[in-house]
Amino acid sequence: MARVVMKFGGSSVENAESIKRVAKRVLQSQQSGNEVVVVISAMGDTTDELMDLALQVSPIPAPRELDMLLTTGERQSAALLAMALSDLGGTAKSYTGSQAGVITTGKHGDARILDITPGRIEDALGDGAIVIVAGFQGVSRSTKDVTTLGRGASDTTAVALAASLNADYCEIYTDVDGIFTADPRICSSARHVPEISYDEMLEMAACGAKILHLRCVEYARREGVPVHVRSSFTDRPGTWVRDPETTTEGTPMALEQALISGVAHDRGEAKITIVGVPDKIGEAARVFDAIAERDINIDMIVQNVSRVSTSRTDISFTLPKSDSRLAMEVLNGLKESVGFEELLYDDQIGKVSVVGVGMKTHPGVTARFFRALAEADVNLGMISTSEIRISVVVDADSVDRAVQAAHAEFGLDGESEATVYAGTGR
Amino acid sequence: MARVVMKFGGSSVENAESIKRVAKRVLQSQQSGNEVVVVISAMGDTTDELMDLALQVSPIPAPRELDMLLTTGERQSAALLAMALSDLGGTAKSYTGSQAGVITTGKHGDARILDITPGRIEDALGDGAIVIVAGFQGVSRSTKDVTTLGRGASDTTAVALAASLNADYCEIYTDVDGIFTADPRICSSARHVPEISYDEMLEMAACGAKILHLRCVEYARREGVPVHVRSSFTDRPGTWVRDPETTTEGTPMALEQALISGVAHDRGEAKITIVGVPDKIGEAARVFDAIAERDINIDMIVQNVSRVSTSRTDISFTLPKSDSRLAMEVLNGLKESVGFEELLYDDQIGKVSVVGVGMKTHPGVTARFFRALAEADVNLGMISTSEIRISVVVDADSVDRAVQAAHAEFGLDGESEATVYAGTGR
């Protein structure tokens, strides 16, 4: 008997029919011998509709009350799924995040899970019930108010519950079959990835792969929760996200790692360049402090070598397009005090990244990547690397060519499925 | 400074605009120096829509889950009202029934309030906030599950909160100006009633006056909470429901009570007659036990004198039309074992009642009422009386005539407002 957490997103519970379909799938899992906990998102567009209603009442809705309002969406779908399960003869109980013991920080709209006290869930599982938990929400430890974890954070709820319940694994149901070596819409030769490590998945998520929430992967890695990302519309196996050691139930595998496990891209960023910053200690810090104060997340930062003639330097950084307007305002406000020359803004860019734990032990990956891009006539803007990732910023209209070139260069094209942790070398 | 509980029903919060209107009214009350607690119903048709959704998922929705689902409606309107208040510069916090400390029995769909532990509300009031509580809901003392108090029970939530918070009074906002001496749609001479006792209001509610929930009036009487029923669309005074002693802030009034304070009618009942019940001890009890087991509420019961020739009797009773189908099924199932002859069913009836504490000390009211009905050519079916009420069942098409005749007979017609507790006799 396994203990499983199954998470279904809004697209899996759009209407009464799809809720009934999910109920059948959940009941099957229990009937095959599993203890089942379900984490569920709000139905289809419910959250957007509630947000519209809030904005009709108040242009800047009070954060505490917005959380109170938005959390009702998941409570509704959780209750409806429990009804559908009862109707099929199952025993099911729905719980709000608060009832399920999801204890969070007090930051409304973007709370962090501090602890989970799943006493009621354990009791219900002990009684043989299927437990359904409203995702995306918790209760503040200090104020006892209802909180939300930020959009899309039901994945995180699921993994956190799986960890605190010592579940064997967590299934994230979505509308695709899992992770691919590249976006199949760009790269027709992209292959399905049956397994990927936490570190690689984390880099993929950070580099624009939308399939799993970044925080969810971080949580899964920290707690060692195996995550199975799969389609709610088929029975095909999806992608397992877990440490390679656990591949064959604890027996360590001697394996030759593929150099690159996937190519990710992201068209959601813009680039800001601050031209002519006086090259004094602390100037860059002042700029980025001001940005951070407004809760704007910076991705890549590049600072050029100072021009000797002027003792001035240029600083470029990328950030989500949605934050760029605010960032430009903040920076313009600093122009006098910092004394830089001008601001340049460019949102016709894309970021292309290759990710793979194999590059740790294989030098020369960067060179191969850059050569392949050059041969595809792709001009590189900014460059940023981690131990298992290389990212470049390119012109927006070069993104597709860059993805295709990298995918071919690292041997990801082919007829068979990608086998990131294949037992034999290649 | 007064402490006030204000309750707004679904028709007062149909959309964003009406929520903003309610917010202004609530803020005015606080700005005039009151401590304000608001109890709110779900927006417009939300509860019906959620019920439809539940029925799409399951023909007989699990009661625990139905409560989980339906309670989200009030949580949404509570959060939206809090946002609207914040937007006007007020400080407001919304609470679920559970957060507000509304402790109930565990009967889903029809729970009773056992206790209120308003610690969080008191704290928020102490901080100067306007407190908004989602009506119609609480939390089960035994299971900690979310419960509902039955449709329309937000009135009861409001009065119960007023009692536990030692509020000075409870305002119930609705779409009419309060209580009238009869339904103005039937009786054009019906007058507004500025004040009415708990006992009279209780009889009026039980006799079909829809304006206040029966359980709410019972609660208000038991706890001595003055209730002000008034329109959310005007500033006119409504009807005060309270003990006459409290009329002028504690100074007892020597008053001459009107004989009758109002005429109520109810077209929502049907009559069932069980013909030829063997006149043995316990037969009637068996019949009504079986009815009660199915949670069917009986109103009036009349048993005729036994026919000497056959030792059989007829039993008639009235009940809500909505329950009559089930009741007929239950009774048909008893035909063999009880051995009655046949069942008669009639839903073309109406109940007309006169209510007034004055009749306690004035004999002859019954005679006057019956004579007035006879003169209006109204035929009496069943009759039932209490200390301050006389009810008769009449043909459905006689209801209007009966109401008009009674209204005229007891001097309720007139140009001025009815003054039930007038200082001078008449």
Side-chain angles (χ1 to χ4, degrees):
Chain A
M1 187 180 77
R3 179 174 278 194
V4 186
V5 175
M6 306 171 80
K7 182 261 170 179
F8 294 89
S11 63
S12 303
V13 290
E14 264 180 324
N15 51 36
E17 280 317 303
S18 50
I19 288 173
K20 288 191 212 176
R21 195 165 43 77
V22 166
K24 276 183 200 148
R25 183 145 202 163
V26 168
L27 194 61
Q28 267 171 12
S29 180
Q30 193 196 39
Q31 285 168 345
S32 72
N34 294 327
E35 284 187 316
V36 180
V37 174
V38 179
V39 173
I40 198 156
S41 302
M43 290 171 74
D45 300 325
T46 306
T47 305
D48 291 332
E49 286 164 14
L50 290 173
M51 193 70 205
D52 283 350
L53 199 52
L55 292 173
Q56 283 175 42
V57 166
S58 166
I60 305 166
R64 177 190 186 277
E65 301 304 329
L66 195 57
D67 279 1
M68 191 81 162
L69 180 73
L70 296 181
T71 49
T72 61
E74 284 74 19
R75 292 171 183 206
Q76 291 174 354
S77 50
L80 289 165
L81 180 60
M83 287 175 200
L85 278 160
S86 296
D87 210 48
L88 294 173
T91 308
K93 284 187 170 182
S94 73
Y95 296 90
T96 68
S98 170
Q99 289 175 335
V102 181
I103 314 291
T104 74
T105 59
K107 188 177 179 195
H108 288 292
D110 196 24
R112 293 287 180 276
I113 296 176
L114 292 173
D115 191 14
I116 295 193
T117 53
R120 292 183 72 177
I121 298 183
E122 288 283 6
D123 289 349
L125 289 175
D127 293 343
I130 294 168
V131 169
I132 301 159
V133 178
F136 165 70
Q137 58 187 265
V139 60
S140 159
R141 174 174 279 168
S142 51
T143 63
K144 309 294 175 214
D145 287 332
V146 173
T147 54
T148 63
L149 308 173
R151 292 298 285 267
S154 290
D155 290 356
T156 310
T157 306
V159 168
L161 272 172
S164 85
L165 291 165
N166 287 313
D168 294 86
Y169 53 90
C170 177
E171 293 183 321
I172 306 280
Y173 285 86
T174 178
D175 49 5
V176 293
D177 275 335
I179 314 291
F180 287 77
T181 52
D183 186 335
R185 284 167 300 185
I186 289 182
C187 194
S188 58
S189 55
R191 286 173 298 156
H192 180 252
V193 177
E195 183 155 349
I196 191 170
S197 70
Y198 295 120
D199 285 344
E200 287 169 311
M201 191 64 233
L202 212 49
E203 293 284 7
M204 295 283 273
C207 290
K210 300 276 186 295
I211 202 154
L212 275 184
H213 214 245
L214 186 60
R215 237 199 279 167
C216 156
V217 185
E218 285 173 346
Y219 212 109
R221 178 172 68 165
R222 192 170 72 234
E223 303 287 339
V225 177
V227 175
H228 189 188
V229 184
R230 58 191 304 192
S231 168
S232 65
F233 299 96
T234 73
D235 281 327
R236 283 200 289 276
T239 298
W240 280 94
V241 184
R242 56 184 165 187
D243 276 332
E245 289 80 17
T246 63
T247 311
T248 55
E249 279 75 53
T251 315
M253 287 178 75
L255 50 78
E256 190 92 357
Q257 285 161 340
L259 208 49
I260 295 300
S261 56
V263 183
H265 71 279
D266 187 355
R267 297 184 203 267
E269 298 197 335
K271 180 173 75 169
I272 293 176
T273 302
I274 315 172
V275 178
V277 181
D279 194 8
K280 287 185 296 192
I281 291 171
E283 288 306 312
R286 274 178 65 189
V287 167
F288 290 108
D289 276 353
I291 297 275
E293 258 174 33
R294 303 299 289 268
D295 271 335
I296 298 169
N297 283 311
I298 297 294
D299 182 18
M300 294 162 69
I301 304 178
V302 173
Q303 179 170 345
N304 290 353
V305 175
S306 176
R307 287 171 268 161
V308 177
S309 59
T310 60
S311 289
R312 284 176 182 270
T313 186
D314 301 338
I315 300 175
S316 291
F317 61 92
T318 62
L319 77 174
K321 277 180 188 165
S322 53
D323 285 342
S324 56
R325 189 187 174 130
L326 179 58
M328 288 295 277
E329 276 176 28
V330 171
L331 291 173
N332 271 317
L334 291 176
K335 192 168 180 185
E336 292 297 306
S337 56
V338 172
F340 59 81
E341 290 163 2
E342 63 174 326
L343 290 177
L344 303 177
Y345 176 74
D346 183 3
D347 61 10
Q348 294 303 303
I349 62 163
K351 185 173 67 166
V352 176
S353 309
V354 291
V355 174
V357 292
M359 70 174 78
K360 277 191 200 176
T361 49
H362 288 72
V365 171
T366 309
R368 276 178 71 184
F369 182 32
F370 289 178
R371 192 170 58 239
L373 293 176
E375 281 165 10
D377 202 21
V378 174
N379 195 30
L380 305 190
M382 302 162 73
I383 298 168
S384 142
T385 62
S386 81
E387 213 180 7
I388 63 167
R389 175 187 52 81
I390 308 163
S391 299
V392 296
V393 170
V394 302
D395 288 344
D397 54 13
S398 304
V399 169
D400 290 9
R401 280 204 317 285
V403 169
Q404 289 152 2
H407 200 263
E409 171 65 27
F410 291 104
L412 297 172
D413 289 0
E415 283 167 31
S416 66
E417 279 196 333
T419 46
V420 179
Y421 298 110
T424 56
R426 54 179 170 139
Chain B
M1 187 181 74
R3 177 174 278 195
V4 186
V5 175
M6 304 171 83
K7 183 261 170 181
F8 294 88
S11 63
S12 303
V13 290
E14 266 181 321
N15 50 36
E17 278 317 301
S18 49
I19 288 173
K20 289 191 212 174
R21 194 164 42 78
V22 167
K24 275 182 203 148
R25 184 145 202 163
V26 168
L27 194 61
Q28 267 170 14
S29 181
Q30 192 196 37
Q31 286 169 344
S32 74
N34 294 327
E35 282 187 317
V36 179
V37 174
V38 179
V39 173
I40 198 154
S41 301
M43 289 171 74
D45 300 325
T46 306
T47 306
D48 291 333
E49 286 164 13
L50 290 173
M51 193 71 207
D52 284 350
L53 198 53
L55 292 173
Q56 283 174 42
V57 166
S58 166
I60 306 167
R64 176 190 186 277
E65 302 304 327
L66 195 58
D67 279 0
M68 192 81 161
L69 180 73
L70 296 181
T71 48
T72 61
E74 284 75 18
R75 292 170 184 208
Q76 291 174 352
S77 50
L80 289 165
L81 180 59
M83 288 175 200
L85 278 160
S86 294
D87 210 47
L88 293 174
T91 308
K93 285 187 169 184
S94 73
Y95 295 90
T96 68
S98 171
Q99 289 176 335
V102 181
I103 315 290
T104 73
T105 59
K107 188 177 179 193
H108 288 292
D110 196 25
R112 293 287 180 278
I113 296 176
L114 292 172
D115 192 15
I116 295 191
T117 52
R120 292 183 72 177
I121 299 183
E122 287 284 6
D123 288 348
L125 288 174
D127 293 342
I130 294 169
V131 169
I132 302 159
V133 178
F136 166 69
Q137 59 188 265
V139 60
S140 159
R141 174 174 281 169
S142 51
T143 63
K144 309 293 176 213
D145 288 332
V146 173
T147 54
T148 63
L149 308 174
R151 293 296 289 265
S154 290
D155 290 357
T156 310
T157 305
V159 169
L161 271 173
S164 85
L165 291 166
N166 288 313
D168 294 86
Y169 53 90
C170 176
E171 292 182 323
I172 306 279
Y173 285 86
T174 178
D175 48 5
V176 294
D177 274 337
I179 315 290
F180 286 78
T181 52
D183 184 337
R185 285 167 299 186
I186 290 182
C187 195
S188 59
S189 55
R191 287 174 297 158
H192 180 252
V193 178
E195 183 155 348
I196 191 170
S197 71
Y198 296 119
D199 286 343
E200 287 170 311
M201 191 63 233
L202 212 50
E203 294 282 7
M204 294 283 273
C207 291
K210 300 278 185 291
I211 201 153
L212 275 185
H213 213 244
L214 185 60
R215 238 199 280 167
C216 155
V217 186
E218 285 172 348
Y219 214 110
R221 178 173 66 166
R222 193 171 71 234
E223 303 286 339
V225 177
V227 176
H228 189 189
V229 183
R230 58 191 303 193
S231 168
S232 65
F233 301 94
T234 72
D235 282 327
R236 283 200 288 275
T239 298
W240 280 94
V241 184
R242 56 184 166 190
D243 277 333
E245 290 79 16
T246 65
T247 310
T248 53
E249 279 77 52
T251 315
M253 285 181 76
L255 48 78
E256 191 90 0
Q257 285 160 339
L259 208 48
I260 295 300
S261 54
V263 183
H265 71 279
D266 187 355
R267 297 182 205 269
E269 297 197 338
K271 180 172 75 168
I272 293 176
T273 302
I274 314 172
V275 178
V277 181
D279 194 8
K280 287 185 299 193
I281 290 170
E283 290 304 313
R286 276 179 63 190
V287 167
F288 290 108
D289 276 354
I291 297 273
E293 259 172 33
R294 304 298 289 269
D295 272 334
I296 298 168
N297 282 313
I298 298 292
D299 181 18
M300 294 164 68
I301 304 178
V302 172
Q303 180 171 344
N304 290 354
V305 174
S306 177
R307 286 170 267 158
V308 177
S309 56
T310 60
S311 288
R312 284 176 183 270
T313 185
D314 302 339
I315 301 175
S316 292
F317 61 90
T318 62
L319 76 176
K321 277 178 189 167
S322 53
D323 285 342
S324 56
R325 190 187 172 129
L326 179 59
M328 287 296 276
E329 275 176 29
V330 170
L331 291 173
N332 271 317
L334 290 177
K335 191 169 182 187
E336 289 299 303
S337 58
V338 173
F340 61 81
E341 289 162 6
E342 63 173 327
L343 291 177
L344 303 177
Y345 177 72
D346 183 4
D347 61 11
Q348 294 303 305
I349 62 164
K351 186 172 70 166
V352 176
S353 310
V354 292
V355 174
V357 292
M359 70 174 77
K360 278 190 199 178
T361 48
H362 287 73
V365 171
T366 310
R368 274 178 70 185
F369 181 34
F370 290 176
R371 190 170 59 239
L373 293 177
E375 281 166 9
D377 202 20
V378 174
N379 196 28
L380 303 191
M382 300 162 72
I383 299 167
S384 143
T385 62
S386 80
E387 212 180 10
I388 63 165
R389 173 188 52 83
I390 309 163
S391 298
V392 295
V393 170
V394 303
D395 289 342
D397 55 13
S398 304
V399 169
D400 289 9
R401 281 206 314 285
V403 169
Q404 289 153 2
H407 200 263
E409 172 65 28
F410 291 104
L412 297 173
D413 290 359
E415 282 166 36
S416 66
E417 279 197 329
T419 45
V420 180
Y421 298 109
T424 55
R426 53 180 170 139

